[in-house]
Amino acid sequence: MSTPFPFTAVVGQDDLRLALLLNAVSPAVGGVLVRGEKGTAKSTAVRALSALMPEVDVVSGCRFSCDPDSPDPGCPDGPHEPGAFASRPARMVELPVGASEDRLVGALDIERALAEGVKAFEPGLLADAHRGLLYVDEVNLLHDHLVDLLLDAAAMGASYVEREGVSVRHAARFLLVGTMNPEEGELRPQLLDRFGLTVEVAASREPDQRVEVVRRRLAYDDDPAGFAARWADEETTVRARIVAARELLPSVRLGDGALRQIAATCAAFEVDGMRADIVMARTATALAAWAGRTEVLAEDVRQAALLALPHRRRRNPFDAPGLDEDKLDETLEEFGGSDGQDGDGDDDPGPGGPGGQPEPDDAPQGGGDAAARPEAGEGGEPQPSGGAGEQSPARAAEPFRTKVLSVPGLGEGAAGRRSRARTEHGRTIGARRPRGALTKLHLAATVQAAAPHQRARGRSGPGLVVRRDDLRQASREGREGNLVLFVVDASGSMAARQRMGAVKGAVLSLLLDAYQRRDKVGLVTFRGSAADVALPPTSSVDAAAVRLESLPTGGRTPLAAGLLRAHEVLRVERLRDPARRALVVVVTDGRATGGPEPVALAGRAARLFAAEGTASVVVDCESGPVRLGLAGRLADELGGTAVTLDELRADSIASLVKDVQGSRRAA
């Protein structure tokens, strides 16, 4: 077994280490979500924590790690005889991003359950992690249904496996730690809330600290065992402190004054529900125990807020996580009572900590005066690129709920919430012979396949004689996530500030919809004489929103260049992820200028998408009393449909066809 990097040798990352240690002291805190850029010791710190966890006593031979002092009465390996136990280190179990549901919760032998009436159960990772640590790297890339199962088990302390009326339950209490890089996509807000604490980590910008990181890492790589031995005393000290804090925890008093501060803080930051209050109370209690105190102080409440609230105050995925520390201090002081405000010396949560994140500023301003070169009239052509100055970025209008745009047909892409697809979860639409292990039994089809052979198989009792060849896998239809590629016209004809603000608001609304439907997104812009890939396809909707906010405008309208660049992006993406279908959203007024025959070139480029059957929609941004209908013609060339900005709204009276290519409604 390889020697882990010592926990106490991690340089900096004070908030990360504190959050992990608090959960080691009190697993009831609810786990930790670690957010940060790549290469910031997220995984290293989590793996190092497992070496500090105290040993656990388990019932000998129990696959579910039952506590010999209070064995689980419903344990599938029970009932257990008293007295037989063994001690072992607490386990750290890693859940791979590509794991199956059976690997996570365990597998039930359906064939034996039907034919013999026995519960033959093979434990999964949740059973292995019981009374230990479950680590999910890149938790934001985990399939939604696996995240749901994982967090439900963490909340209930038990895992349930239900297959066609046969059920198995076992205890599953563990310290849950997830790490993620926000650039690769966000977790849904309701799932963020299920993690007790969150920390933001970033690489230090201090040269001395960076030098020390490199020095320690090189020393560890050269001699892992020797490096760990040099930190053995510090590791032993921290391990003993965890044990002492656990023993002290039941004696810690959470007074009414601290409870009032907790409740007032959660109310002041308008967090949803009561989970934040409970997590803050448990975290503050663990902080007091970690400090060796039996009384929760205001400084504990303050630190608990910095760890438990940043991810809960986000109202939409484009909000920056973090807390206004001045507002936090004012609230604690107002409701401090006799405790007072004792956290003055704890204002700095450490580099990369969750508190003190700046609030989003107004949209960044580009060079030049926005009014220096006024835009041509709504119905007119833009000025030539040589004479049209670049406009400063317009602020996006308020986002709104959009109509559903989906890709027609039945796909087989990654699970999501946009278009119809064959999936592991959803409504049953048929049955087939299983390919590999059986995961979802179609009971009626299985019985129908086995029934004609009962006499030949010598059936004499009431039970059904089932063979492997009789089993049928349920075919299910659910929803998939798509690649939504935005092709945005940023030319002079779109650059009037009020108009461009409305356009950005519409794209931002579609981005929010893509986030909720678990899509990948990409952004291609065109202006002047060329098109640019502002954002290659990614799961990070946040990154797309940032690129959109700072999008400059002005110049001619190279529509053909924008479409050709989008076509190339899709070609490359099909090689990387052939199962993920694309939806192209062209945001333009339909004008094409610059170069010879710009309209004809744009038409030929558009017909490339139609020839390949790529789903597309044109968001018509033309406004004013006189409309040329150019966006509608472009939609016809693409083989898609055109909608106006008003029709894009979900509450619009105008009807919008949900399938962008006009596919017939399913019967």
Side-chain angles (χ1 to χ4, degrees):
M1 181 177 178
S2 61
T3 303
F5 192 91
F7 186 84
T8 52
V10 174
V11 179
Q13 308 297 11
D14 297 336
D15 284 334
L16 170 58
R17 292 190 293 169
L18 178 60
L20 292 172
L21 290 170
L22 292 177
N23 274 271
V25 171
S26 175
V29 166
V32 186
L33 176 64
V34 187
R35 297 162 44 90
E37 58 196 22
K38 52 188 176 292
T40 49
K42 300 188 299 293
S43 300
T44 298
V46 175
R47 294 189 175 100
L49 178 68
S50 62
L52 298 179
M53 301 285 284
E55 289 193 341
V56 294
D57 293 334
V58 298
V59 173
S60 298
C62 178
R63 296 175 298 166
F64 301 88
S65 302
C66 279
D67 187 344
D69 295 332
S70 57
D72 181 10
C75 177
D77 284 354
H80 299 298
E81 296 293 331
F85 73 93
S87 295
R88 62 163 176 77
R91 291 174 180 159
M92 191 198 77
V93 177
E94 293 194 45
L95 174 61
V97 169
S100 66
E101 180 180 338
D102 285 346
R103 185 71 186 99
L104 177 62
V105 301
L108 192 64
D109 191 329
I110 300 296
E111 185 175 359
R112 290 189 63 191
L114 288 176
E116 304 173 29
V118 298
K119 297 179 181 179
F121 182 69
E122 184 66 28
L125 295 177
L126 292 180
D128 293 342
H130 180 46
R131 304 179 65 202
L133 187 151
L134 182 62
Y135 172 46
V136 189
D137 193 13
E138 306 294 354
V139 65
N140 52 324
L141 303 182
L142 201 64
H143 285 176
D144 281 356
H145 72 282
L146 293 183
V147 175
D148 292 338
L149 290 170
L150 179 65
L151 296 180
D152 283 345
M156 296 185 296
S159 175
Y160 294 85
V161 182
E162 303 281 350
R163 296 287 167 81
E164 303 298 338
V166 181
S167 63
V168 173
R169 174 211 166 273
H170 65 83
R173 293 183 295 275
F174 47 82
L175 167 55
L176 175 63
V177 181
T179 57
M180 60 176 283
N181 183 350
E183 293 180 357
E184 297 173 345
E186 281 284 359
L187 279 175
R188 302 196 311 270
Q190 60 268 38
L191 300 184
L192 279 172
D193 184 58
R194 299 294 289 273
F195 282 94
L197 309 180
T198 185
V199 291
E200 296 278 337
V201 297
S204 172
R205 298 297 184 259
E206 293 293 331
D208 291 342
Q209 195 170 69
R210 296 175 73 96
V211 166
E212 186 61 22
V213 169
V214 175
R215 181 181 292 120
R216 293 186 187 183
R217 186 69 212 188
L218 293 177
Y220 170 77
D221 291 340
D222 289 341
D223 183 9
F227 183 82
R230 292 197 292 275
W231 291 87
D233 291 343
E234 288 83 352
E235 295 282 288
T236 300
T237 300
V238 173
R239 189 179 298 110
R241 188 175 175 185
I242 292 174
V243 173
R246 283 188 173 187
E247 294 174 350
L248 183 62
L249 188 65
S251 303
V252 176
R253 176 180 174 273
L254 182 65
D256 290 343
L259 276 173
R260 281 179 58 80
Q261 286 183 317
I262 290 170
T265 301
C266 292
F269 286 98
E270 300 180 345
V271 296
D272 296 329
M274 295 299 298
R275 185 175 284 119
D277 303 63
I278 296 170
V279 171
M280 273 191 65
R282 290 172 174 166
T283 305
T285 303
L287 280 162
W290 178 248
R293 290 186 268 101
T294 57
E295 185 80 16
V296 173
L297 303 180
E299 63 190 65
D300 300 321
V301 176
R302 185 182 193 278
Q303 184 63 57
L306 293 174
L307 294 173
L309 296 188
H311 60 304
R312 292 186 167 90
R313 62 161 292 275
R314 301 182 72 186
R315 314 313 292 180
N316 66 63
F318 308 129
D319 289 339
L323 292 182
D324 182 339
E325 293 197 47
D326 290 337
K327 180 178 179 180
L328 173 61
D329 290 336
E330 290 173 4
T331 303
L332 292 176
E333 184 175 359
E334 180 181 354
F335 292 88
S338 59
D339 289 337
Q341 175 60 40
D342 299 325
D344 293 340
D346 195 30
D347 285 344
D348 184 4
Q357 298 296 325
E359 292 296 325
D361 293 329
D362 289 344
Q365 296 299 311
D369 184 358
R373 296 185 182 272
E375 168 61 14
E378 288 290 335
E381 292 293 324
Q383 297 297 320
S385 58
E390 182 176 297
Q391 306 293 315
S392 59
R395 185 74 180 267
E398 189 70 20
F400 52 85
R401 190 166 62 91
T402 66
K403 294 280 191 179
V404 180
L405 304 175
S406 61
V407 178
L410 196 63
E412 295 183 345
R417 290 184 172 82
R418 183 170 296 278
S419 305
R420 296 170 54 228
R422 296 182 183 91
T423 60
E424 287 295 316
H425 299 268
R427 66 185 183 91
T428 301
I429 59 173
R432 58 176 174 80
R433 291 182 181 273
R435 304 186 190 100
L438 179 72
T439 55
K440 297 292 182 183
L441 179 74
H442 194 296
L443 183 58
T446 298
V447 172
Q448 187 176 5
H453 309 290
Q454 296 305 294
R455 181 176 296 179
R457 293 173 183 174
R459 173 184 169 185
S460 58
L464 188 68
V465 181
V466 179
R467 302 281 173 81
R468 176 70 184 172
D469 289 344
D470 301 327
L471 298 178
R472 294 294 182 269
Q473 175 85 20
S475 297
R476 304 197 174 204
E477 180 182 307
R479 294 280 168 176
E480 67 177 0
N482 299 116
L483 166 60
V484 182
L485 181 61
F486 293 93
V487 185
V488 180
D489 184 349
S491 65
S493 65
M494 300 280 288
R497 296 188 62 82
Q498 185 175 2
R499 185 180 181 191
M500 197 61 197
V503 169
K504 285 188 176 183
V507 178
L508 197 64
S509 303
L510 290 167
L511 283 172
L512 182 58
D513 181 68
Y515 165 80
Q516 294 167 340
R517 299 184 187 281
R518 311 300 286 170
D519 295 317
K520 291 180 71 174
V521 297
L523 179 62
V524 173
T525 65
F526 56 95
R527 57 183 288 271
S529 59
D532 296 312
V533 181
L535 183 71
T538 176
S539 296
S540 176
V541 175
D542 284 3
V546 170
R547 300 291 198 282
L548 179 70
E549 190 70 21
S550 58
L551 179 66
T553 57
R556 294 186 181 274
T557 312
L559 178 56
L563 294 175
L564 290 174
R565 181 58 63 90
H567 186 268
E568 176 63 17
V569 169
L570 292 184
R571 186 190 68 80
V572 174
E573 193 63 18
R574 286 192 196 101
L575 298 176
R576 295 175 178 168
D577 191 356
R580 188 180 291 269
R581 298 185 296 164
L583 172 62
V584 177
V585 179
V586 184
V587 185
T588 181
D589 56 10
R591 290 178 172 84
T593 60
E597 300 183 341
V599 176
L601 285 174
R604 286 199 291 270
R607 288 191 288 274
L608 292 175
F609 293 87
E612 296 173 351
T614 303
S616 59
V617 61
V618 177
V619 179
D620 185 358
C621 303
E622 193 174 26
S623 60
V626 179
R627 303 196 181 195
L628 304 179
L630 299 176
R633 297 180 202 171
L634 176 63
D636 291 339
E637 298 278 10
L638 287 166
T641 189
V643 297
T644 65
L645 290 175
D646 289 338
E647 289 173 336
L648 195 60
R649 293 179 178 270
D651 54 0
S652 173
I653 299 176
S655 173
L656 174 64
V657 179
K658 289 186 177 181
D659 275 349
V660 298
Q661 286 187 322
S663 61
R664 289 180 295 179
R665 184 176 300 174

PDB file of all heavy atoms in Angstrom, residues 381-408:
ATOM      1  N   GLU A 381     -27.863  49.471 -42.115  1.00  0.00           N
ATOM      2  CA  GLU A 381     -26.686  48.623 -42.105  1.00  0.00           C
ATOM      3  C   GLU A 381     -25.631  49.226 -41.187  1.00  0.00           C
ATOM      4  O   GLU A 381     -25.558  50.443 -41.023  1.00  0.00           O
ATOM      5  CB  GLU A 381     -26.123  48.518 -43.531  1.00  0.00           C
ATOM      6  CG  GLU A 381     -27.018  47.759 -44.485  1.00  0.00           C
ATOM      7  CD  GLU A 381     -27.126  46.298 -44.116  1.00  0.00           C
ATOM      8  OE1 GLU A 381     -26.115  45.739 -43.650  1.00  0.00           O
ATOM      9  OE2 GLU A 381     -28.212  45.731 -44.274  1.00  0.00           O
ATOM     10  N   PRO A 382     -24.790  48.410 -40.575  1.00  0.00           N
ATOM     11  CA  PRO A 382     -23.721  48.937 -39.739  1.00  0.00           C
ATOM     12  C   PRO A 382     -22.668  49.629 -40.576  1.00  0.00           C
ATOM     13  O   PRO A 382     -22.552  49.402 -41.775  1.00  0.00           O
ATOM     14  CB  PRO A 382     -23.149  47.666 -39.069  1.00  0.00           C
ATOM     15  CG  PRO A 382     -23.457  46.561 -40.041  1.00  0.00           C
ATOM     16  CD  PRO A 382     -24.767  46.939 -40.660  1.00  0.00           C
ATOM     17  N   GLN A 383     -21.910  50.472 -39.915  1.00  0.00           N
ATOM     18  CA  GLN A 383     -20.827  51.162 -40.600  1.00  0.00           C
ATOM     19  C   GLN A 383     -19.745  50.159 -40.967  1.00  0.00           C
ATOM     20  O   GLN A 383     -19.587  49.126 -40.325  1.00  0.00           O
ATOM     21  CB  GLN A 383     -20.239  52.235 -39.670  1.00  0.00           C
ATOM     22  CG  GLN A 383     -21.242  53.321 -39.297  1.00  0.00           C
ATOM     23  CD  GLN A 383     -21.695  54.103 -40.508  1.00  0.00           C
ATOM     24  OE1 GLN A 383     -20.892  54.410 -41.376  1.00  0.00           O
ATOM     25  NE2 GLN A 383     -22.985  54.412 -40.583  1.00  0.00           N
ATOM     26  N   PRO A 384     -18.956  50.418 -41.974  1.00  0.00           N
ATOM     27  CA  PRO A 384     -17.850  49.529 -42.310  1.00  0.00           C
ATOM     28  C   PRO A 384     -16.931  49.352 -41.119  1.00  0.00           C
ATOM     29  O   PRO A 384     -16.773  50.240 -40.288  1.00  0.00           O
ATOM     30  CB  PRO A 384     -17.144  50.258 -43.472  1.00  0.00           C
ATOM     31  CG  PRO A 384     -18.191  51.163 -44.053  1.00  0.00           C
ATOM     32  CD  PRO A 384     -19.065  51.564 -42.916  1.00  0.00           C
ATOM     33  N   SER A 385     -16.303  48.144 -41.070  1.00  0.00           N
ATOM     34  CA  SER A 385     -15.504  47.814 -39.891  1.00  0.00           C
ATOM     35  C   SER A 385     -14.369  48.792 -39.687  1.00  0.00           C
ATOM     36  O   SER A 385     -13.940  49.020 -38.559  1.00  0.00           O
ATOM     37  CB  SER A 385     -14.948  46.392 -40.030  1.00  0.00           C
ATOM     38  OG  SER A 385     -14.169  46.276 -41.210  1.00  0.00           O
ATOM     39  N   GLY A 386     -13.848  49.361 -40.748  1.00  0.00           N
ATOM     40  CA  GLY A 386     -12.760  50.297 -40.571  1.00  0.00           C
ATOM     41  C   GLY A 386     -13.191  51.574 -39.899  1.00  0.00           C
ATOM     42  O   GLY A 386     -12.390  52.279 -39.312  1.00  0.00           O
ATOM     43  N   GLY A 387     -14.498  51.928 -39.978  1.00  0.00           N
ATOM     44  CA  GLY A 387     -14.934  53.172 -39.398  1.00  0.00           C
ATOM     45  C   GLY A 387     -15.785  53.013 -38.174  1.00  0.00           C
ATOM     46  O   GLY A 387     -16.168  53.990 -37.573  1.00  0.00           O
ATOM     47  N   ALA A 388     -16.146  51.794 -37.815  1.00  0.00           N
ATOM     48  CA  ALA A 388     -17.013  51.555 -36.653  1.00  0.00           C
ATOM     49  C   ALA A 388     -16.172  51.188 -35.461  1.00  0.00           C
ATOM     50  O   ALA A 388     -15.465  50.204 -35.472  1.00  0.00           O
ATOM     51  CB  ALA A 388     -18.018  50.446 -36.961  1.00  0.00           C
ATOM     52  N   GLY A 389     -16.207  52.008 -34.425  1.00  0.00           N
ATOM     53  CA  GLY A 389     -15.446  51.705 -33.221  1.00  0.00           C
ATOM     54  C   GLY A 389     -16.098  50.600 -32.422  1.00  0.00           C
ATOM     55  O   GLY A 389     -17.295  50.393 -32.468  1.00  0.00           O
ATOM     56  N   GLU A 390     -15.279  49.893 -31.670  1.00  0.00           N
ATOM     57  CA  GLU A 390     -15.796  48.808 -30.832  1.00  0.00           C
ATOM     58  C   GLU A 390     -16.609  49.383 -29.691  1.00  0.00           C
ATOM     59  O   GLU A 390     -16.179  50.305 -29.009  1.00  0.00           O
ATOM     60  CB  GLU A 390     -14.628  47.981 -30.293  1.00  0.00           C
ATOM     61  CG  GLU A 390     -15.059  46.809 -29.443  1.00  0.00           C
ATOM     62  CD  GLU A 390     -13.871  45.971 -29.031  1.00  0.00           C
ATOM     63  OE1 GLU A 390     -13.209  45.408 -29.925  1.00  0.00           O
ATOM     64  OE2 GLU A 390     -13.603  45.895 -27.821  1.00  0.00           O
ATOM     65  N   GLN A 391     -17.805  48.838 -29.480  1.00  0.00           N
ATOM     66  CA  GLN A 391     -18.679  49.313 -28.413  1.00  0.00           C
ATOM     67  C   GLN A 391     -18.283  48.655 -27.096  1.00  0.00           C
ATOM     68  O   GLN A 391     -17.859  47.503 -27.056  1.00  0.00           O
ATOM     69  CB  GLN A 391     -20.134  48.963 -28.742  1.00  0.00           C
ATOM     70  CG  GLN A 391     -20.601  49.453 -30.110  1.00  0.00           C
ATOM     71  CD  GLN A 391     -20.669  50.960 -30.168  1.00  0.00           C
ATOM     72  OE1 GLN A 391     -21.167  51.599 -29.264  1.00  0.00           O
ATOM     73  NE2 GLN A 391     -20.147  51.522 -31.235  1.00  0.00           N
ATOM     74  N   SER A 392     -18.422  49.400 -26.010  1.00  0.00           N
ATOM     75  CA  SER A 392     -18.169  48.792 -24.704  1.00  0.00           C
ATOM     76  C   SER A 392     -19.274  47.781 -24.411  1.00  0.00           C
ATOM     77  O   SER A 392     -20.403  47.936 -24.859  1.00  0.00           O
ATOM     78  CB  SER A 392     -18.140  49.869 -23.618  1.00  0.00           C
ATOM     79  OG  SER A 392     -19.364  50.572 -23.581  1.00  0.00           O
ATOM     80  N   PRO A 393     -18.970  46.707 -23.653  1.00  0.00           N
ATOM     81  CA  PRO A 393     -19.954  45.644 -23.428  1.00  0.00           C
ATOM     82  C   PRO A 393     -21.213  46.170 -22.749  1.00  0.00           C
ATOM     83  O   PRO A 393     -21.159  46.943 -21.796  1.00  0.00           O
ATOM     84  CB  PRO A 393     -19.205  44.664 -22.517  1.00  0.00           C
ATOM     85  CG  PRO A 393     -17.761  44.921 -22.781  1.00  0.00           C
ATOM     86  CD  PRO A 393     -17.665  46.389 -23.043  1.00  0.00           C
ATOM     87  N   ALA A 394     -22.364  45.745 -23.243  1.00  0.00           N
ATOM     88  CA  ALA A 394     -23.642  46.126 -22.652  1.00  0.00           C
ATOM     89  C   ALA A 394     -23.976  45.187 -21.504  1.00  0.00           C
ATOM     90  O   ALA A 394     -23.624  44.006 -21.524  1.00  0.00           O
ATOM     91  CB  ALA A 394     -24.746  46.075 -23.705  1.00  0.00           C
ATOM     92  N   ARG A 395     -24.652  45.695 -20.511  1.00  0.00           N
ATOM     93  CA  ARG A 395     -25.069  44.896 -19.362  1.00  0.00           C
ATOM     94  C   ARG A 395     -26.272  44.036 -19.748  1.00  0.00           C
ATOM     95  O   ARG A 395     -27.216  44.514 -20.369  1.00  0.00           O
ATOM     96  CB  ARG A 395     -25.429  45.817 -18.194  1.00  0.00           C
ATOM     97  CG  ARG A 395     -25.762  45.098 -16.895  1.00  0.00           C
ATOM     98  CD  ARG A 395     -24.493  44.567 -16.270  1.00  0.00           C
ATOM     99  NE  ARG A 395     -24.785  43.878 -15.026  1.00  0.00           N
ATOM    100  CZ  ARG A 395     -24.762  44.460 -13.824  1.00  0.00           C
ATOM    101  NH1 ARG A 395     -24.457  45.742 -13.727  1.00  0.00           N
ATOM    102  NH2 ARG A 395     -25.018  43.761 -12.736  1.00  0.00           N
ATOM    103  N   ALA A 396     -26.245  42.772 -19.392  1.00  0.00           N
ATOM    104  CA  ALA A 396     -27.326  41.860 -19.741  1.00  0.00           C
ATOM    105  C   ALA A 396     -28.596  42.224 -18.999  1.00  0.00           C
ATOM    106  O   ALA A 396     -28.569  42.612 -17.829  1.00  0.00           O
ATOM    107  CB  ALA A 396     -26.927  40.420 -19.421  1.00  0.00           C
ATOM    108  N   ALA A 397     -29.723  42.100 -19.685  1.00  0.00           N
ATOM    109  CA  ALA A 397     -31.015  42.309 -19.044  1.00  0.00           C
ATOM    110  C   ALA A 397     -31.305  41.163 -18.082  1.00  0.00           C
ATOM    111  O   ALA A 397     -30.627  40.129 -18.083  1.00  0.00           O
ATOM    112  CB  ALA A 397     -32.110  42.402 -20.107  1.00  0.00           C
ATOM    113  N   GLU A 398     -32.310  41.343 -17.248  1.00  0.00           N
ATOM    114  CA  GLU A 398     -32.669  40.333 -16.253  1.00  0.00           C
ATOM    115  C   GLU A 398     -33.077  39.032 -16.947  1.00  0.00           C
ATOM    116  O   GLU A 398     -33.886  39.023 -17.868  1.00  0.00           O
ATOM    117  CB  GLU A 398     -33.837  40.849 -15.400  1.00  0.00           C
ATOM    118  CG  GLU A 398     -34.152  39.997 -14.198  1.00  0.00           C
ATOM    119  CD  GLU A 398     -33.084  40.082 -13.126  1.00  0.00           C
ATOM    120  OE1 GLU A 398     -32.300  41.050 -13.133  1.00  0.00           O
ATOM    121  OE2 GLU A 398     -33.042  39.173 -12.279  1.00  0.00           O
ATOM    122  N   PRO A 399     -32.506  37.879 -16.533  1.00  0.00           N
ATOM    123  CA  PRO A 399     -32.878  36.613 -17.169  1.00  0.00           C
ATOM    124  C   PRO A 399     -34.318  36.222 -16.848  1.00  0.00           C
ATOM    125  O   PRO A 399     -34.909  36.684 -15.874  1.00  0.00           O
ATOM    126  CB  PRO A 399     -31.881  35.610 -16.571  1.00  0.00           C
ATOM    127  CG  PRO A 399     -31.415  36.228 -15.307  1.00  0.00           C
ATOM    128  CD  PRO A 399     -31.458  37.708 -15.510  1.00  0.00           C
ATOM    129  N   PHE A 400     -34.881  35.372 -17.683  1.00  0.00           N
ATOM    130  CA  PHE A 400     -36.256  34.932 -17.521  1.00  0.00           C
ATOM    131  C   PHE A 400     -36.339  33.438 -17.815  1.00  0.00           C
ATOM    132  O   PHE A 400     -35.397  32.832 -18.325  1.00  0.00           O
ATOM    133  CB  PHE A 400     -37.180  35.709 -18.469  1.00  0.00           C
ATOM    134  CG  PHE A 400     -36.729  35.702 -19.914  1.00  0.00           C
ATOM    135  CD1 PHE A 400     -37.056  34.653 -20.770  1.00  0.00           C
ATOM    136  CD2 PHE A 400     -35.955  36.750 -20.416  1.00  0.00           C
ATOM    137  CE1 PHE A 400     -36.632  34.634 -22.086  1.00  0.00           C
ATOM    138  CE2 PHE A 400     -35.534  36.740 -21.739  1.00  0.00           C
ATOM    139  CZ  PHE A 400     -35.864  35.680 -22.577  1.00  0.00           C
ATOM    140  N   ARG A 401     -37.471  32.829 -17.471  1.00  0.00           N
ATOM    141  CA  ARG A 401     -37.680  31.412 -17.746  1.00  0.00           C
ATOM    142  C   ARG A 401     -38.047  31.241 -19.207  1.00  0.00           C
ATOM    143  O   ARG A 401     -38.958  31.893 -19.705  1.00  0.00           O
ATOM    144  CB  ARG A 401     -38.779  30.855 -16.844  1.00  0.00           C
ATOM    145  CG  ARG A 401     -38.906  29.329 -16.889  1.00  0.00           C
ATOM    146  CD  ARG A 401     -39.756  28.832 -15.725  1.00  0.00           C
ATOM    147  NE  ARG A 401     -41.108  29.356 -15.796  1.00  0.00           N
ATOM    148  CZ  ARG A 401     -42.115  28.726 -16.414  1.00  0.00           C
ATOM    149  NH1 ARG A 401     -41.900  27.571 -17.020  1.00  0.00           N
ATOM    150  NH2 ARG A 401     -43.328  29.247 -16.414  1.00  0.00           N
ATOM    151  N   THR A 402     -37.337  30.340 -19.888  1.00  0.00           N
ATOM    152  CA  THR A 402     -37.521  30.182 -21.326  1.00  0.00           C
ATOM    153  C   THR A 402     -38.397  28.980 -21.655  1.00  0.00           C
ATOM    154  O   THR A 402     -38.577  28.072 -20.838  1.00  0.00           O
ATOM    155  CB  THR A 402     -36.165  29.998 -22.030  1.00  0.00           C
ATOM    156  OG1 THR A 402     -35.593  28.752 -21.618  1.00  0.00           O
ATOM    157  CG2 THR A 402     -35.217  31.134 -21.695  1.00  0.00           C
ATOM    158  N   LYS A 403     -38.907  28.995 -22.873  1.00  0.00           N
ATOM    159  CA  LYS A 403     -39.576  27.819 -23.411  1.00  0.00           C
ATOM    160  C   LYS A 403     -38.569  26.685 -23.558  1.00  0.00           C
ATOM    161  O   LYS A 403     -37.365  26.907 -23.648  1.00  0.00           O
ATOM    162  CB  LYS A 403     -40.184  28.139 -24.777  1.00  0.00           C
ATOM    163  CG  LYS A 403     -41.322  29.143 -24.755  1.00  0.00           C
ATOM    164  CD  LYS A 403     -42.623  28.488 -24.354  1.00  0.00           C
ATOM    165  CE  LYS A 403     -43.792  29.437 -24.604  1.00  0.00           C
ATOM    166  NZ  LYS A 403     -45.086  28.827 -24.253  1.00  0.00           N
ATOM    167  N   VAL A 404     -39.079  25.460 -23.587  1.00  0.00           N
ATOM    168  CA  VAL A 404     -38.207  24.295 -23.722  1.00  0.00           C
ATOM    169  C   VAL A 404     -37.840  24.107 -25.192  1.00  0.00           C
ATOM    170  O   VAL A 404     -38.717  23.998 -26.050  1.00  0.00           O
ATOM    171  CB  VAL A 404     -38.892  23.027 -23.188  1.00  0.00           C
ATOM    172  CG1 VAL A 404     -37.953  21.827 -23.356  1.00  0.00           C
ATOM    173  CG2 VAL A 404     -39.274  23.201 -21.733  1.00  0.00           C
ATOM    174  N   LEU A 405     -36.555  24.074 -25.482  1.00  0.00           N
ATOM    175  CA  LEU A 405     -36.056  23.744 -26.813  1.00  0.00           C
ATOM    176  C   LEU A 405     -35.419  22.373 -26.725  1.00  0.00           C
ATOM    177  O   LEU A 405     -34.551  22.148 -25.875  1.00  0.00           O
ATOM    178  CB  LEU A 405     -35.026  24.768 -27.282  1.00  0.00           C
ATOM    179  CG  LEU A 405     -35.472  26.237 -27.291  1.00  0.00           C
ATOM    180  CD1 LEU A 405     -34.300  27.128 -27.666  1.00  0.00           C
ATOM    181  CD2 LEU A 405     -36.635  26.444 -28.234  1.00  0.00           C
ATOM    182  N   SER A 406     -35.830  21.444 -27.555  1.00  0.00           N
ATOM    183  CA  SER A 406     -35.295  20.093 -27.469  1.00  0.00           C
ATOM    184  C   SER A 406     -34.895  19.581 -28.837  1.00  0.00           C
ATOM    185  O   SER A 406     -35.314  20.101 -29.868  1.00  0.00           O
ATOM    186  CB  SER A 406     -36.321  19.142 -26.830  1.00  0.00           C
ATOM    187  OG  SER A 406     -37.494  19.088 -27.616  1.00  0.00           O
ATOM    188  N   VAL A 407     -34.073  18.549 -28.839  1.00  0.00           N
ATOM    189  CA  VAL A 407     -33.626  17.908 -30.076  1.00  0.00           C
ATOM    190  C   VAL A 407     -34.609  16.791 -30.408  1.00  0.00           C
ATOM    191  O   VAL A 407     -34.928  15.979 -29.537  1.00  0.00           O
ATOM    192  CB  VAL A 407     -32.202  17.346 -29.906  1.00  0.00           C
ATOM    193  CG1 VAL A 407     -31.748  16.638 -31.176  1.00  0.00           C
ATOM    194  CG2 VAL A 407     -31.231  18.464 -29.544  1.00  0.00           C
ATOM    195  N   PRO A 408     -35.115  16.720 -31.626  1.00  0.00           N
ATOM    196  CA  PRO A 408     -36.084  15.679 -31.963  1.00  0.00           C
ATOM    197  C   PRO A 408     -35.454  14.295 -32.018  1.00  0.00           C
ATOM    198  O   PRO A 408     -34.235  14.154 -32.086  1.00  0.00           O
ATOM    199  CB  PRO A 408     -36.595  16.112 -33.344  1.00  0.00           C
ATOM    200  CG  PRO A 408     -35.472  16.895 -33.919  1.00  0.00           C
ATOM    201  CD  PRO A 408     -34.838  17.605 -32.761  1.00  0.00           C
TER     202      PRO A 408
END
